[in-house]
Amino acid sequence: MIDVYLFSGFLGSGKTTLLKNMLIQIKEAGLKPAVFMNELGELAIDSDEVEDGVPLKELLDGCICCTGSEKSEAQIQTLLAEETFDVLLIETTGAAHPVEALDAIFSPLFAEKLNFRGIVTVADSKRWLDRDRMSPQIRSLFLEQIRHADLILANKMDLLDEKEQGDAVFGMQSLNSKAQIVQTANSKIPYKLLQNLSAGTKGTVEKAEIGKLNLNTKVLRFEQPVNRERFEDWLRTLPETVYRIKGYVPLDGDKYPHAFQYAYGMAQWLPEYMKMQPQIVVIGEGIDGVELP
């Protein structure tokens, strides 16, 4: 049977970084991984992080956990039919309830082929401390992702002082006392932690579909290169309800657009060495008025 791990967590928490770390370690262990990714938006930005040679299927602009469940089943079934692999890593969109996402995994079409090991939730520790500033619907989803985890990564601990670290870990532990909690920076954990997982029984949960969360996506396209300082000044003007930005930003003087990630007020730039579409996906609440500078 194929071991299956589901990576959950709110937008910008570090799920894709965890995915990349695990792909490296799984291959070093002599195993072949495959990936199923769910992205909230029209563009396959996160899937660009999956290296060549790793079987990959995607569900774009939909949710693995609600209306996209049948599409997810079809994608996983195709993956099983076309590829041979030992481990399947499923990365859900930040708007997905982790328990609802299990519907696609436990499809009667292929359930006997899959050994579900557990839900790994990447929790942004800084966002945890500021959770009361979220809208009620978003906060509820954020807490549910932690509540139903079998393993919790209290991520971005390097951004907190010692007291804040303790408050974050104690709070998450109070919410989910059954899960192991690991303090991390950049989602770094050994693959052995996943191998030791044993999924618990999940109870009935109330659905929290994307529409109820008022989350929207918006694609912004660049007509010409931008000045990096001016672009970062623009980021500082964005409302707090912009939870995530990802894509490729063309900068003055550079041949290729830079890979760009933004979450919780923090930006990350990575150089690219090939021609990518100069555009970004903005994810958040009430983002209709968000436009490029």
Side-chain angles (χ1 to χ4, degrees):
M1 295 181 71
I2 297 167
D3 284 345
V4 181
Y5 302 94
L6 190 146
F7 294 167
S8 175
F10 195 63
L11 300 160
S13 60
K15 295 188 300 297
T16 303
T17 303
L18 172 64
L19 177 70
K20 292 169 64 179
N21 290 339
M22 288 301 103
L23 288 176
I24 293 170
Q25 294 187 53
I26 289 170
K27 288 193 286 188
E28 288 177 346
L31 301 172
K32 183 175 181 180
V35 175
F36 177 61
M37 299 186 79
N38 179 201
E39 296 210 45
L40 184 61
E42 302 170 3
L43 306 178
I45 300 296
D46 284 346
S47 63
D48 292 334
E49 302 289 342
V50 179
E51 59 190 83
D52 293 339
V54 176
L56 169 72
K57 290 294 180 182
E58 301 169 275
L59 175 65
L60 298 178
D61 203 22
C63 184
I64 188 175
C65 62
C66 43
T67 56
S69 182
E70 291 184 2
K71 293 180 182 178
S72 299
E73 288 183 18
Q75 293 281 47
I76 294 174
Q77 188 176 26
T78 301
L79 195 60
L80 290 167
E82 295 179 349
E83 305 285 349
T84 300
F85 51 93
D86 304 300
V87 182
L88 176 60
L89 304 179
I90 299 178
E91 180 186 335
T92 66
T93 171
H97 192 301
V99 178
E100 293 176 30
L102 298 181
D103 286 346
I105 302 172
F106 292 122
S107 166
L109 296 173
F110 44 72
E112 75 285 352
K113 298 179 182 178
L114 303 181
N115 177 29
F116 180 65
R117 300 297 297 271
I119 296 172
V120 181
T121 293
V122 186
D124 184 329
S125 301
K126 184 171 176 57
R127 191 181 290 277
W128 166 269
L129 295 177
D130 292 337
R131 61 193 180 281
D132 290 340
R133 295 167 58 184
M134 299 177 178
S135 68
Q137 298 94 331
I138 295 296
R139 183 172 62 250
S140 176
L141 175 65
F142 178 69
L143 296 179
E144 285 292 283
Q145 290 171 339
I146 295 171
R147 192 193 314 276
H148 292 279
D150 299 295
L151 172 64
I152 300 169
L153 306 192
N155 200 31
K156 305 187 182 181
M157 278 287 169
D158 52 320
L159 303 179
L160 306 181
D161 61 33
E162 189 172 338
K163 181 183 182 305
E164 290 172 329
Q165 291 177 2
D167 289 345
V169 171
F170 179 78
M172 293 182 201
Q173 201 163 39
S174 298
L175 183 64
N176 183 350
S177 60
K178 295 181 180 180
Q180 180 181 3
I181 300 180
V182 181
Q183 299 183 53
T184 59
N186 298 314
S187 303
K188 288 185 178 179
I189 59 168
Y191 175 50
K192 186 177 181 180
L193 270 182
L194 267 63
Q195 291 178 301
N196 291 337
L197 271 181
S198 178
T201 302
K202 305 303 173 188
T204 303
V205 296
E206 181 181 350
K207 291 194 173 184
E209 297 177 2
I210 292 175
K212 295 180 182 178
L213 294 173
N214 298 315
L215 278 177
N216 301 105
T217 64
K218 188 172 187 178
V219 178
L220 302 179
R221 296 177 173 86
F222 296 88
E223 300 297 331
Q224 57 189 9
V226 297
N227 176 273
R228 176 166 171 169
E229 288 187 8
R230 284 188 58 196
F231 185 78
E232 291 183 342
D233 286 342
W234 171 72
L235 292 173
R236 285 187 277 271
T237 69
L238 294 175
E240 290 185 354
T241 52
V242 172
Y243 299 120
R244 185 88 157 96
I245 301 175
K246 52 188 178 181
Y248 301 94
V249 179
L251 295 178
D252 289 336
D254 290 335
K255 183 177 181 181
Y256 301 117
H258 281 240
F260 177 77
Q261 303 273 349
Y262 171 91
Y264 207 67
M266 292 176 285
Q268 181 182 24
W269 299 87
L270 293 172
E272 276 290 340
Y273 302 99
M274 62 180 68
K275 186 70 174 177
M276 306 298 291
Q277 282 285 88
Q279 53 195 9
I280 54 176
V281 178
V282 181
I283 305 173
E285 297 176 281
I287 59 174
D288 288 344
V290 175
E291 299 290 348
L292 289 172

